Amino acid sequence: MQINQSFTVSYQYPVIFTEDTFSSNNQSLIKLIDNLSDRPEFLLCLDSEVAACHPELSQKVADYLAAAELKLSDTLIIPGGEDCKNHTQWLEDIYQAVADYKIDRHSYIIVVGGGAVVDAVGYAAATAHRGIRLIRLPSTVLGQNDAGVGVKNAINFNKRKNYLGTFVPPFAVINDFTLLNSLQVRDKRCGIAEAIKVALIKDKEFFNQLYADRFELAQFETAAMKNMIIKGAKWHLDHIATNGDPFEFGSARPLDFGHWSAHKLEELSNNELRHGEAVAIGIAIDSLYSVYAGHLTQADANKIITLLTTLGFTLNHSALQQLDVEQALNEFKEHLGGRLCITLLNNLGSGFEANHINSEWMKKSIAQLQSSELELAC
Ligand SMILES: NC(=O)c1ccc[n+]([C@@H]2O[C@H](COP(=O)([O-])OP(=O)(O)OC[C@H]3O[C@@H](n4cnc5c(N)ncnc54)[C@H](O)[C@@H]3O)[C@@H](O)[C@H]2O)c1
Ligand SMILES: [Zn+2]
């Protein structure tokens, strides 16, 4: 006897680009609340750096909700950066607040923070009551064009990146450009690496535009930054919606271009390297390997490296000396499940999946990055 169960669930969520979300004349958030008359509960989780840089924010959210006769139950401050994914005592604080304030599946958790806090609060929201509505306001460039717009949530376990996690789409994402003003330079820069990544695997025109805008982007000029964030987020969302595998049942992971080494470099540097900084190095490594393997021209790889270095990324980091290629590839394979699947480039704007990596060529690519032999395109 066998019953074959089958059903389909369709997901929709808006990704809104706006400024000053909690000013009284911005209706973006309140318009999302489809159960206003039930007076749902709201819990606010703030990245500690966001809370420090925007001390008025919690009161502003409370006032904003009060104008619609809604109540902010509480504000929790979550340690910003990778710390919140490594040390998770605060998870209990969220679960406790969910219990104390009777936050149910029709209530809302609003998270304002960098990719790490969004990932971690997303994990808490997805697991409490098996899923509470989550409104994300990513507050870093990387959060807005990548980490905060997709369907994944995670924390680390035993120093292994994203070892515990869920595939649960958010209720909504609000990309508020105003939040980015308080970022440190390196956090403004980090997110540009993810835009370059998605451009390299998907859209040559986008890559060429990033290349043409490299001096404006290096100065974080507003128009170039907004365009980079919106296009990066759009491609990220498009990939999830159309690649036929939003919850990654297969092994192919094109959005992880440059990430097999990046994840390891983050660990090896004890998180001294930010995710985006590690991704910039990972992009350079896999671009040079794509040349070794005969898929990409050296001139194209040089253009990629020129773009990354003009933006201020340091590509020769000391963590590279400790990178064990075979071990890192094995761990990445284990994380993917199934067979090894590494995205390489056969052109600017065109990625493809490779199931075999020649470790010697990979080591040579890394050695090339560490040497000053690179002949740059500019
Ligand atoms: N879920 C996904 O699909 C996905 C995708 C990519 C990356 N990620 C994860 O995202 C994380 C990296 O995110 P990130 O690059 O945003 O870095 P981050 O979250 O570590 O933030 C960097 C720093 O900026 C601070 N910060 C955040 N917003 C601020 C603001 N507006 N003003 C001042 N300071 C602010 C944070 O407190 C932190 O110290 C990694 O953990 C990575 O694994 C997840
Ligand atoms: Zn990434």
Side-chain angles (χ1 to χ4, degrees), residues 206-227:
F206 182 27
F207 176 82
N208 284 336
Q209 186 173 17
L210 293 171
Y211 187 80
D213 285 352
R214 63 194 183 283
F215 298 111
E216 288 82 0
L217 288 169
Q219 297 300 318
F220 311 115
E221 285 183 11
T222 308
M225 288 297 281
K226 279 188 180 173
N227 180 56

Side-chain angles (χ1 to χ4, degrees), residues 220-242:
F220 311 115
E221 285 183 11
T222 308
M225 288 297 281
K226 279 188 180 173
N227 180 56
M228 176 274 298
I229 289 172
I230 293 170
K231 279 223 175 90
K234 195 173 157 297
W235 269 119
H236 195 92
L237 290 161
D238 181 81
H239 176 83
I240 292 169
T242 62

Side-chain angles (χ1 to χ4, degrees), residues 156-373:
N156 306 335
F157 177 69
N158 272 351
K159 289 196 165 181
R160 296 282 297 275
K161 271 289 280 187
N162 302 333
Y163 203 80
L164 303 177
T166 58
F167 288 99
V168 176
F171 182 79
V173 181
I174 301 180
N175 276 340
D176 182 335
F177 294 125
T178 324
L179 290 168
L180 305 180
N181 295 339
S182 54
L183 281 173
Q184 285 181 18
V185 163
R186 67 187 293 204
D187 294 309
K188 285 190 184 164
R189 183 185 298 125
C190 272
I192 311 178
E194 299 280 13
I196 295 171
K197 168 202 78 180
V198 88
L200 280 173
I201 57 171
K202 297 277 187 189
D203 183 353
K204 184 171 190 168
E205 209 178 296
F206 182 27
F207 176 82
N208 284 336
Q209 186 173 17
L210 293 171
Y211 187 80
D213 285 352
R214 63 194 183 283
F215 298 111
E216 288 82 0
L217 288 169
Q219 297 300 318
F220 311 115
E221 285 183 11
T222 308
M225 288 297 281
K226 279 188 180 173
N227 180 56
M228 176 274 298
I229 289 172
I230 293 170
K231 279 223 175 90
K234 195 173 157 297
W235 269 119
H236 195 92
L237 290 161
D238 181 81
H239 176 83
I240 292 169
T242 62
N243 88 326
D245 192 18
F247 295 164
E248 298 175 0
F249 293 123
S251 298
R253 199 79 74 76
L255 288 180
D256 274 355
F257 172 57
H259 278 54
W260 69 268
S261 55
H263 285 165
K264 200 66 206 172
L265 290 168
E266 280 178 81
E267 276 173 42
L268 290 171
S269 73
N270 278 324
N271 299 121
E272 190 273 313
L273 268 176
R274 296 270 216 270
H275 180 73
E277 292 165 342
V279 169
I281 299 172
I283 289 173
I285 293 174
D286 288 352
S287 301
L288 291 172
Y289 180 88
S290 299
V291 176
Y292 258 98
H295 305 297
L296 188 71
T297 66
Q298 184 71 48
D300 282 344
N302 289 349
K303 206 168 169 190
I304 295 166
I305 287 164
T306 300
L307 172 55
L308 292 168
T309 49
T310 309
L311 293 172
F313 287 110
T314 304
L315 301 181
N316 180 9
H317 190 274
S318 56
L320 279 173
Q321 291 158 20
Q322 302 163 55
L323 182 64
D324 178 333
V325 169
E326 283 91 357
Q327 189 201 356
L329 285 169
N330 267 334
E331 283 184 13
F332 191 70
K333 174 173 172 278
E334 196 187 311
H335 188 66
L336 295 175
R339 50 205 302 227
L340 181 67
C341 217
I342 297 289
T343 304
L344 297 176
L345 300 177
N346 50 21
N347 204 337
L348 298 174
S350 171
F352 72 98
E353 300 303 316
N355 297 117
H356 175 74
I357 293 294
N358 180 318
S359 319
E360 288 315 307
W361 293 353
M362 187 57 88
K363 285 175 197 164
K364 284 187 180 158
S365 310
I366 294 169
Q368 199 187 351
L369 194 61
Q370 289 172 294
S371 74
S372 51
E373 284 168 28

